[in-house]
Amino acid sequence: YDQAKVLHQRTLHIQQKHYGQDHVQVASTLNNLANVLLHQGDYDQAKVHFERALHIKQHNYGQDHVEVASTLNNLANVLLHQGDYDQAKVLYHRTLHIEQKHYGQDHIQVASTLSNLASVLRHQGDCDQAKVLYQRALHIEQKHYGQD
């Protein structure tokens, strides 16, 4: 991951110079760099980069775009790792709302977000509601991929 981090940082520098600070390509690279940082366990820096990417995407696409949902989900993943379950839950709910609006109730991406949200609920001790969401996610996945 160290080499990936260096390459994303170089790419970010070039893109910011070429496109400016608020271009969607910059947001994409910030998102990629933040994912590397997340995998390295540098949650604070990952959060900073996801937040910046989110701001750029919201500015360019609006609040309810699937690109915004993707970054909201990533930011919620960081918050989950940091133990900020309340805020992670809020962001997963926002992600789910956008995805259901754009993809419908039974899209595979909706299943992924339902599983993420269920994970937060499980950490908060709401195992009954987590189970409901896990089962809903499983149903969607089986619908797409089959029972096996």
Side-chain angles (χ1 to χ4, degrees), residues 5-131:
K5 179 181 171 182
V6 169
L7 292 173
H8 285 306
Q9 287 171 329
R10 283 183 26 205
T11 301
L12 182 62
H13 177 74
I14 292 167
Q15 288 176 336
Q16 288 173 333
K17 199 169 153 182
H18 181 74
Y19 296 122
Q21 297 291 318
D22 294 325
H23 194 275
V24 293
Q25 283 300 121
V26 170
S28 178
T29 301
L30 284 166
N31 194 67
N32 293 338
L33 175 57
N35 274 318
V36 169
L37 294 166
L38 176 62
H39 287 289
Q40 290 181 319
D42 189 351
Y43 303 130
D44 292 337
Q45 281 302 303
K47 182 179 176 187
V48 167
H49 291 309
F50 280 135
E51 286 173 338
R52 186 161 163 233
L54 179 61
H55 174 77
I56 293 168
K57 288 181 178 185
Q58 287 173 331
H59 175 75
N60 283 281
Y61 296 124
Q63 298 292 320
D64 289 332
H65 194 276
V66 292
E67 284 292 324
V68 170
S70 174
T71 303
L72 284 168
N73 184 76
N74 291 340
L75 182 54
N77 289 339
V78 172
L79 295 170
L80 178 63
H81 283 287
Q82 291 180 319
D84 188 352
Y85 303 127
D86 291 336
Q87 190 59 30
K89 186 162 101 173
V90 168
L91 296 186
Y92 284 136
H93 274 295
R94 281 186 61 200
T95 301
L96 190 60
H97 172 77
I98 294 168
E99 290 172 348
Q100 288 175 333
K101 178 180 171 184
H102 288 276
Y103 298 133
Q105 299 290 321
D106 292 331
H107 192 275
I108 197 66
Q109 188 58 47
V110 169
S112 177
T113 302
L114 286 168
S115 290
N116 290 342
L117 181 54
S119 182
V120 169
L121 293 171
R122 184 179 48 81
H123 282 293
Q124 291 182 315
D126 190 354
C127 294
D128 291 338
Q129 186 59 32
K131 181 179 177 182

